[in-house]
Amino acid sequence: MNETGRVTSTARKISRSWLWRLFWIFFRINLVLLILAALGFCFYQERLALGGAWSPEIQRELQIEAVDATGSLRETAEGAIDSLRGASYVFYDADGMRYEVACQAYVDTMGMAGLVLLAIETLIFLGQMMSGRRKARRLLRPLDRMARAAELLGRSAGRVETPPQDGGEVGGEKLHGLEDAIGRISPEHPEEKLDMGDSDLQGLEDAINGLLSRMHQAYRQQAQFVSDASHELRTPIAVIQGYAAMLDRWGKQDEKVLDESISAIKSEAGYMSKLVEQLLFLARGDTGRNRMEFKEISLGELMEEVCEDCRVIDKSHDYRLENRSEARCSGDWDMLKQCARILADNALKYTPEGGLICLRTYTNAAGEVCLEVQDSGIGVSAEDMQHMFDRFYRSDPARARQSGGTGLGLAIARWIVDRHGGHFEVLSREGLGTRMTVCLPAAEKTV
């Protein structure tokens, strides 16, 4: 196998290793969720029936009809599902009184929630499957170029002896030794490094080891991203399951329970929809599938639209617009408007009612055009400021969750600004407020 083939094989190994690890992450998360949901159901039914007389030592049992395994696999699976739906959870109080709870509603609710979770995980898995090998190839591209160069050198030097420098016989042997060493590196062990012990190849070894470190760091970030996304989805799913069980038990007779449950389920479903939409946006961005249409635009007009939208949506804050110059840049209108809306929404969440939120545009001393959102809120600490653009990071998790925040807004804003060749400037003082500034290259003036 030549050098190029080994690079391709390494990319394939890395992709397969990541997909296999992702599958087991999903499997473990689903197993834990299933166990916690089952324990929660049993505990809830026991406390509902026994109240203060509940004890961990009460007798319990699960009654399930036996499944006839003589039919086809499909018939057996359908029979198993029907048996679970017809199962009953039985427990006894301290006096031996028997309580029996039908599991049909619980199994149906778990089935619907499981299908939603499985669909989301399937989308994430398919996205990683399609983009994983391509991303590995892109990361390995410098190594691929080195491999092609090594192959050409090997062909020319394989039969010609070079002057020995440190006891070596043939220049091609070093290249083939490097090829074998690269082929032995396992993608499943990120601590492995290339070490030939040859001073002539030290520079090449350092470059390859640096490339491998960046690749493993990228995959660790992907794994953390998937884990965080699964964690974020677990909370709304649990809330929906709880209110669905409440609806099934009391919602048919109690209108207050019905209204409360429907409102909570709609809220959590909206949160999940927003979260999945933002996850897909970042996933498409990571794989280069977010399309942008660049044209010359006026930041003043853009911020005027954003300010009007904010005034319509939010009546509890004072919005002020300041266009200090005719700031024009080359960019995608919709993307930059989304970025400005994210900054405005962030200011809204952390500014008390009646507070001032100022939106402005201007040209800075470096000739860059800037859009800026300044609030009079609680401010950001120096520690939080270091992580504010990280995915799923929240300076106040409890408050952000209550306001519908996903922890992805600023990560999306940074992605948009990066694709426009700009950068952020952040100034914040705790108790005084925060100023978020986006600096972009100015549009070229035509004569």
Side-chain angles (χ1 to χ4, degrees):
M1 182 183 295
N2 58 24
E3 286 83 348
T4 304
R6 289 187 181 275
V7 171
T8 303
S9 176
T10 301
R12 192 179 297 114
K13 288 179 181 178
I14 292 174
S15 179
R16 282 201 301 263
S17 173
W18 162 241
L19 290 175
W20 185 246
R21 191 180 305 124
L22 179 62
F23 170 80
W24 280 109
I25 289 174
F26 283 156
F27 178 80
R28 293 188 186 100
I29 290 174
N30 294 340
L31 183 60
V32 170
L33 286 175
L34 181 62
I35 294 173
L36 291 177
L39 292 176
F41 170 76
C42 296
F43 176 75
Y44 174 76
Q45 298 297 337
E46 293 170 5
R47 290 303 299 263
L48 185 65
L50 303 180
W54 180 86
S55 170
E57 288 79 20
I58 63 174
Q59 185 180 354
R60 307 171 179 88
E61 62 183 42
L62 183 65
Q63 295 182 351
I64 303 177
E65 295 181 0
V67 180
D68 185 4
T70 58
S72 64
L73 181 61
R74 179 178 178 181
E75 293 174 347
T76 302
E78 292 176 350
I81 295 174
D82 290 339
S83 296
L84 283 175
R85 295 180 75 248
S88 298
Y89 177 59
V90 179
F91 55 93
Y92 303 85
D93 61 13
D95 298 327
M97 180 176 292
R98 185 176 186 272
Y99 295 85
E100 181 175 346
V101 180
C103 296
Q104 179 177 349
Y106 168 74
V107 172
D108 290 341
T109 303
M110 286 294 294
M112 289 188 294
L115 288 176
V116 173
L117 182 60
L118 184 61
I120 294 172
E121 291 176 347
T122 301
L123 286 175
I124 296 175
F125 190 85
L126 291 177
Q128 295 297 322
M129 181 183 296
M130 290 186 291
S131 64
R133 186 176 299 180
R134 184 166 60 252
K135 187 170 184 179
R137 288 291 301 172
R138 187 169 63 252
L139 292 170
L140 284 170
R141 195 170 294 154
L143 185 59
D144 190 31
R145 288 197 292 266
M146 288 188 289
R148 292 178 185 277
E151 184 178 4
L152 292 175
L153 288 173
R155 290 174 182 173
S156 61
R159 296 187 179 87
V160 180
E161 293 188 0
T162 58
Q165 298 177 356
D166 53 352
E169 293 183 0
V170 181
E173 290 183 359
K174 290 186 177 182
L175 297 176
H176 292 307
L178 178 63
E179 170 190 342
D180 294 335
I182 293 174
R184 288 193 297 268
I185 295 177
S186 172
E188 299 179 357
H189 301 286
E191 71 279 357
E192 288 189 2
K193 301 293 182 183
L194 184 65
D195 186 11
M196 297 283 293
D198 192 324
S199 59
D200 295 336
L201 300 177
Q202 187 62 47
L204 189 57
E205 289 179 8
D206 293 340
I208 294 174
N209 288 332
L211 176 64
L212 291 174
S213 297
R214 292 193 296 273
M215 287 174 55
H216 287 299
Q217 181 181 3
Y219 276 97
R220 282 195 299 269
Q221 290 174 347
Q222 279 192 341
Q224 184 63 42
F225 180 64
V226 172
S227 176
D228 290 341
S230 302
H231 175 76
E232 291 294 326
L233 288 168
R234 182 173 58 187
T235 299
I237 288 174
V239 173
I240 290 174
Q241 287 177 340
Y243 276 101
M246 187 184 298
L247 272 173
D248 182 67
R249 190 169 186 85
W250 295 295
K252 300 172 184 177
Q253 292 82 23
D254 192 330
E255 291 187 3
K256 183 178 179 181
V257 172
L258 179 63
D259 293 339
E260 179 185 351
S261 300
I262 291 176
S263 176
I265 290 175
K266 287 174 64 177
S267 174
E268 293 301 323
Y271 171 79
M272 287 180 64
S273 176
K274 180 180 179 181
L275 178 60
V276 171
E277 183 180 346
Q278 292 183 335
L279 286 172
L280 291 175
F281 181 95
L282 290 172
R284 288 194 300 266
D286 290 340
T287 57
R289 291 184 289 122
N290 277 335
R291 296 182 179 179
M292 293 192 292
E293 181 180 352
F294 281 77
K295 59 183 179 181
E296 186 174 330
I297 60 177
S298 168
L299 289 184
E301 295 177 2
L302 184 146
M303 291 295 278
E304 186 174 349
E305 279 194 16
V306 173
C307 187
E308 289 300 322
D309 293 343
C310 291
R311 287 169 177 166
V312 171
I313 296 172
D314 176 31
K315 304 292 186 181
S316 60
H317 295 87
D318 179 20
Y319 289 91
R320 183 182 302 170
L321 177 64
E322 300 177 4
N323 288 329
R324 298 178 178 177
S325 67
E326 180 56 30
R328 303 186 70 85
C329 70
S330 177
D332 184 286
W333 177 279
D334 293 331
M335 290 286 186
L336 288 177
K337 184 176 180 181
Q338 181 180 0
C339 174
R341 283 294 304 273
I342 289 172
L343 299 183
D345 289 343
N346 220 46
L348 180 156
K349 293 172 187 174
Y350 298 102
T351 301
E353 290 189 8
L356 174 65
I357 299 176
C358 186
L359 289 75
R360 63 175 65 96
T361 60
Y362 61 92
T363 302
N364 64 13
E368 299 170 317
V369 294
C370 305
L371 63 86
E372 188 171 271
V373 177
Q374 181 174 346
D375 63 55
S376 53
I378 60 177
V380 182
S381 67
E383 180 181 356
D384 290 333
M385 199 176 298
Q386 299 176 3
H387 304 283
M388 64 190 308
F389 293 101
D390 294 348
R391 297 178 182 183
F392 294 109
Y393 185 82
R394 301 185 182 96
S395 59
D396 187 350
R399 182 170 178 177
R401 180 67 179 90
Q402 293 171 0
S403 62
T406 62
L408 293 174
L410 288 180
I412 292 175
R414 183 178 66 174
W415 185 92
I416 293 172
V417 172
D418 288 345
R419 294 310 180 274
H420 283 78
H423 62 275
F424 274 94
E425 292 181 358
V426 183
L427 178 63
S428 184
R429 295 290 184 272
E430 292 188 75
L432 296 178
T434 303
R435 186 175 69 197
M436 303 281 291
T437 307
V438 175
C439 302
L440 303 168
E444 296 182 2
K445 296 182 179 180
T446 57
V447 181

